[in-house]
Amino acid sequence: DYGYAKFMKRVSTILMGRKTYESVLGFDCEYPYKDLENVIFTQNPAYSAAHAKTEGVNLQVICGNIVDEVKRLRLEGSPDTLIYANGGGEIFRELLHHNLIDEIILTIHPSIQGGGPHLFPGPIVPPKTLQLISHQAWPSGLIQLHYKLDHKLG
């Protein structure tokens, strides 16, 4: 699983945009984040937890200020656990802009798809400096890069 299970044991909260959340619901398996606090961000005020098809899951649907919500989650959370931003490039860009992303794990799969969403949509202002923490390559050709953001350098 390329370290995924070990990583997920440290996660307490998962953040997703509505489109990412709905794509996860479409997976042919049990909902993978049922033991976590799930925070779904949407720009549609009519979308609510009632639209979510995950009974028994700790789920919040937020149509509001992403930055304020993530700051609140960070204050309430334990320093030993992680908040995992899983999808939603616009959400990621907004959190990055406000220095609310501390680490990035970038996994490169050895295939060229020729499409799909941008990793970082739109400009990142100001530009960010990354420090490589670790890297790992697997025999399958998959490469994982783990970066820490240096908020002091931009």
Side-chain angles (χ1 to χ4, degrees):
D1 76 349
Y2 303 108
Y4 183 75
K6 181 179 175 184
F7 168 76
M8 288 304 294
K9 285 182 182 176
R10 296 179 49 217
V11 174
S12 64
T13 304
I14 187 159
L15 310 177
M16 287 182 269
R18 180 194 51 80
K19 291 176 196 169
T20 300
Y21 170 70
E22 289 179 353
S23 72
V24 171
L25 289 178
F27 293 169
D28 191 24
C29 64
E30 182 181 23
Y31 185 71
Y33 308 119
K34 64 181 188 298
D35 297 330
L36 303 176
E37 179 178 2
N38 289 251
V39 181
I40 312 305
F41 292 102
T42 181
Q43 295 177 5
N44 179 355
Y47 192 86
S48 69
H51 292 91
K53 299 171 180 71
T54 45
E55 289 184 32
V57 172
N58 180 358
L59 179 73
Q60 296 178 59
V61 176
I62 305 293
C63 183
N65 189 311
I66 295 166
V67 171
D68 289 346
E69 183 64 22
V70 171
K71 285 179 180 178
R72 181 192 65 78
L73 289 167
R74 288 176 73 155
L75 285 173
E76 291 176 358
S78 163
D80 298 336
T81 60
L82 299 175
I83 299 173
Y84 171 33
N86 177 34
E90 294 164 11
I91 292 170
F92 184 79
R93 184 186 67 227
E94 186 72 10
L95 297 177
L96 195 59
H97 177 75
H98 287 89
N99 292 329
L100 292 171
I101 301 286
D102 297 319
E103 296 179 19
I104 296 173
I105 298 174
L106 184 60
T107 304
I108 301 168
H109 293 265
S111 67
I112 298 173
Q113 301 296 319
H118 292 261
L119 183 59
F120 307 112
I124 303 297
V125 178
K128 301 296 179 185
T129 302
L130 305 175
Q131 296 176 330
L132 184 64
I133 295 173
S134 65
H135 64 282
Q136 186 166 1
W138 280 270
S140 67
L142 185 137
I143 298 171
Q144 197 166 72
L145 305 167
H146 186 174
Y147 292 101
K148 179 175 178 60
L149 273 84
D150 189 339
H151 296 298
K152 292 178 284 226
L153 297 177

